[in-house]
Amino acid sequence: TLTPTSLPDLARVALQGAEAAAKAAHITLRVETPDDIAQVPADPRRLMQVFDNLLSNAIKYSPGGGTVTVSVEDVDDAVQVAVKDEGIGIPKEAQAHIFERFYQVDPSRSRRFGSIGLGLAIVKEVVEDHGGKVWLESESGQGSTFYFTVPKTPLARPAQ
């Protein structure tokens, strides 16, 4: 069910929900967003899964003392969200597969960080169900930035 949704508001709620995990990991959380971002037609519950998965990964793979920043901006016909961390980064050769179900960059990471490889696949599915796109920029040892967009106009649904 799509309703007019404020992505900055969702980002703030998601950050509040991640505060305990961030504090335990000695990570600082920040949000950067102007106040005049357009609402988008979205399912807030599903998009909250996207924020939660991206924030959870950013906190999990960042060193203590680091910062995770969520930014929201108006970009053409969509609203774009970026979740940036200062973590371990993702090797170039793994980036093409990172949104696949059960994909693990390094199996030892799954044991060390407690991951089974579904979070980013869910992110991709939810964003694409909204008509948006998801991608990342990352370098090993330099952190990662995960981006997603949600269009400002609803997806055209086929007549039934």
Side-chain angles (χ1 to χ4, degrees), residues 100-112:
E100 295 172 6
R101 287 183 179 274
F102 304 112
Y103 180 78
Q104 295 288 321
V105 171
D106 173 359
S108 67
R109 280 186 179 185
S110 64
R111 287 189 297 278
R112 181 173 156 211

Side-chain angles (χ1 to χ4, degrees), residues 15-16 34 52 60 76 103 124:
L15 284 168
Q16 287 174 344
D52 288 345
K60 188 185 310 182
D76 301 323
Y103 180 78
K124 183 177 191 242

Side-chain angles (χ1 to χ4, degrees), residues 5-6 8 13 17 38 57 62 100 102 105 107 123 127 136 138 144 147:
T5 302
S6 166
V13 170
N57 282 351
S62 289
E100 295 172 6
F102 304 112
V105 171
V123 164
V127 169
L136 76 138
S138 183
S144 302
Y147 298 90

